[in-house]
Amino acid sequence: MSVQVENPASASVRGRWPLLALVVLALVLVGLLLVWLNLRGEQGVHAYGHGGWSGSTETRAALVERGAYLARVGNCAGCHTAAGGAEYAGGRGLPTAFGTLYTSNLTSDKETGLGLWSAQDFWRALHNGRSREGRLLYPAFPYDSYTRVTRADSDALFAYLQSLPAVRAQTPPHALDFPYGWQGSLAVWRALFFSPKDWQDQPGKAPAWNRGAYLAQGLGHCAACHAPRNGLGASGQAMSGGFVAGQSWYAPSLLDPGEAGVRAGQESAWVQLLQTGSGPSGSALGPMAEVVARSTQHWQPQDLQALASYLQEQGAAAPSAGTDGHGAIKAVQPGQMALGRAVYERQCAVCHGAQGQGTPGAFPALAGNASVTMAEPRNLLLVLLDGGYPPSTRQQPQPHGMPPFGHVLSDAQVAAVASYVRNAWGNKAAEIGTMEVYRAREGRGF
């Protein structure tokens, strides 16, 4: 009689099969879930048929004209025009924390642009963030906002882009760190942070409020800059302020009147800033100067008023962070204020006035200026170091700029004068240290 003794190794392998099967099943289910999450909302993208318009009764000429206006509202040329290149021909590099993305050619060229695209393909890109070939698009193209654009506006915008002269311009390949250049990574990001939205006016709200909401949340994509982002680059629609991706500038809150929010009764001054580039309390500088030059100065006045109406109500409902954001503000050291005052009187008072009152029509007042007293001082330091240049607009073709002082002032002097203007003439804000100035010079943030 013989006894069969099972090999322990074989038994071990056989015992692992159920676990391996469960792992494989889990991976398959996760994969199917990712596919479903990235395809949700696409069942309705063929509502008007391949290549068809949305049933609008507009003439082709009227559709193109309206699309041209919508392209200005969305500042499409701002991103899709490289320095020295043809408008809308793409190729502009957009720096991000994950590498550099290059914008696509939006002209009607059939090889490198949208010449072979249909209105349906374009709608799919805006609404679902997917290219004509079905590839997932990177959210540097803010389809998390554009998904709210109506089909009618999408068709008008596409009609305008198709009317542009064809420019053959091949977009450089993206230069992304691993694994961000992989479509699988993008699928995971979209599954976590993106789902298509269909725009619906809110019942009970005035038409102007709904129009402002549509512009802010949709084609205007205000949250692309003015909302905070998490470590994976995703943001909500809460426009409470955030750092501009790949740049040193801070996009202030559009909800907090202590930053760039619309103060009750001052809507006209806020609109003036977007129309001309300058207002009673400051000028559009940095990235916002380009937005004003290419986009908001061309908005219809009623659209700017609608945007102001919407943001003013949103701000009234949001809690204010105040000017310091950290509770009580410590008094600036007397020596620091004395040094800051000396620098101010020597370098700044000739334009901004001995009492920070500014020069009407030329240089903004610093007294009572929210841009000066914001809890986040980065923009103030950047202007002191590198200068500030408002945009040239139709209503203000030759604006007054501010020269840079980073080459003539030490870190200690910049910190002192920044602390002084934040705490003189009734202003109240936290003191600025030399380390903050050093980091601003080095572009390291705070």
Side-chain angles (χ1 to χ4, degrees), residues 188-261:
V188 172
W189 186 93
R190 288 163 55 96
L192 292 171
F193 303 116
F194 173 71
S195 61
K197 302 286 192 304
D198 291 310
W199 179 258
Q200 296 289 336
D201 283 351
Q202 287 196 25
K205 294 292 187 181
W209 187 97
N210 276 308
R211 176 65 175 173
Y214 173 70
L215 293 170
Q217 297 179 29
L219 202 55
H221 62 285
C222 301
C225 291
H226 291 274
R229 295 182 178 273
N230 63 23
L232 293 177
S235 71
Q237 283 289 323
M239 291 168 277
S240 55
F243 294 106
V244 180
Q247 301 190 40
S248 300
W249 290 86
Y250 171 73
S253 170
L254 298 181
L255 306 180
D256 185 357
E259 294 195 9

Side-chain angles (χ1 to χ4, degrees), residues 48-360:
Y48 302 110
H50 185 78
W53 302 107
S54 60
S56 171
T57 58
E58 291 175 284
T59 65
R60 180 72 177 193
L63 199 67
V64 169
E65 182 179 358
R66 188 162 66 86
Y69 174 69
L70 294 172
R72 289 279 182 85
V73 170
N75 192 24
C76 302
C79 284
H80 290 271
T81 304
E87 276 208 326
Y88 295 99
R92 178 172 180 173
L94 301 179
T96 74
F98 315 104
T100 301
L101 292 154
Y102 292 90
T103 57
S104 57
N105 183 349
L106 299 184
T107 74
S108 57
D109 183 65
K110 291 185 177 181
E111 292 188 24
T112 63
L114 303 181
L116 296 178
W117 285 48
S118 67
Q120 178 65 35
D121 296 329
F122 188 74
W123 161 253
R124 188 187 192 194
L126 263 63
H127 192 68
N128 295 91
R130 193 180 292 272
S131 74
R132 176 175 178 265
E133 298 78 16
R135 289 181 61 81
L136 304 179
L137 301 176
Y138 288 96
F141 172 66
Y143 55 81
D144 52 345
S145 293
Y146 293 164
T147 186
R148 295 171 174 82
V149 173
T150 65
R151 179 62 193 262
D153 280 354
S154 172
D155 285 351
L157 183 55
F158 181 70
Y160 168 68
L161 295 175
Q162 288 290 285
S163 75
L164 297 173
V167 177
R168 178 173 292 187
Q170 189 67 50
T171 301
H174 301 315
L176 294 170
D177 301 330
F178 180 81
Y180 306 113
W182 181 46
Q183 285 275 293
S185 297
L186 189 52
V188 172
W189 186 93
R190 288 163 55 96
L192 292 171
F193 303 116
F194 173 71
S195 61
K197 302 286 192 304
D198 291 310
W199 179 258
Q200 296 289 336
D201 283 351
Q202 287 196 25
K205 294 292 187 181
W209 187 97
N210 276 308
R211 176 65 175 173
Y214 173 70
L215 293 170
Q217 297 179 29
L219 202 55
H221 62 285
C222 301
C225 291
H226 291 274
R229 295 182 178 273
N230 63 23
L232 293 177
S235 71
Q237 283 289 323
M239 291 168 277
S240 55
F243 294 106
V244 180
Q247 301 190 40
S248 300
W249 290 86
Y250 171 73
S253 170
L254 298 181
L255 306 180
D256 185 357
E259 294 195 9
V262 185
R263 297 177 183 269
Q266 295 187 8
E267 292 85 353
S268 59
W270 194 87
V271 167
Q272 178 187 340
L273 176 67
L274 297 185
Q275 285 179 321
T276 69
S278 296
S281 61
S283 300
L285 306 175
M288 193 62 199
E290 182 178 353
V291 173
V292 171
R294 287 188 175 273
S295 179
T296 59
Q297 71 156 320
H298 303 288
W299 285 34
Q300 295 169 356
Q302 61 267 33
D303 277 348
L304 288 174
Q305 291 289 349
L307 181 64
S309 172
Y310 166 71
L311 291 176
Q312 197 281 322
E313 182 176 314
Q314 293 296 104
S320 175
T323 55
D324 69 321
H326 302 288
I329 301 173
K330 295 181 180 179
V332 180
Q333 296 297 318
Q336 185 83 329
M337 286 293 286
L339 174 59
R341 179 172 182 174
V343 173
Y344 180 85
E345 290 176 346
R346 184 171 64 253
Q347 304 285 6
C348 315
V350 65
C351 293
H352 293 286
Q355 300 302 314
Q357 74 274 17
T359 303

Side-chain angles (χ1 to χ4, degrees), residues 15 83 160 183 227 251 328 340 342 371 380 404-405 429 440:
Y160 168 68
Q183 285 275 293
S371 298
L380 174 63
F405 289 95

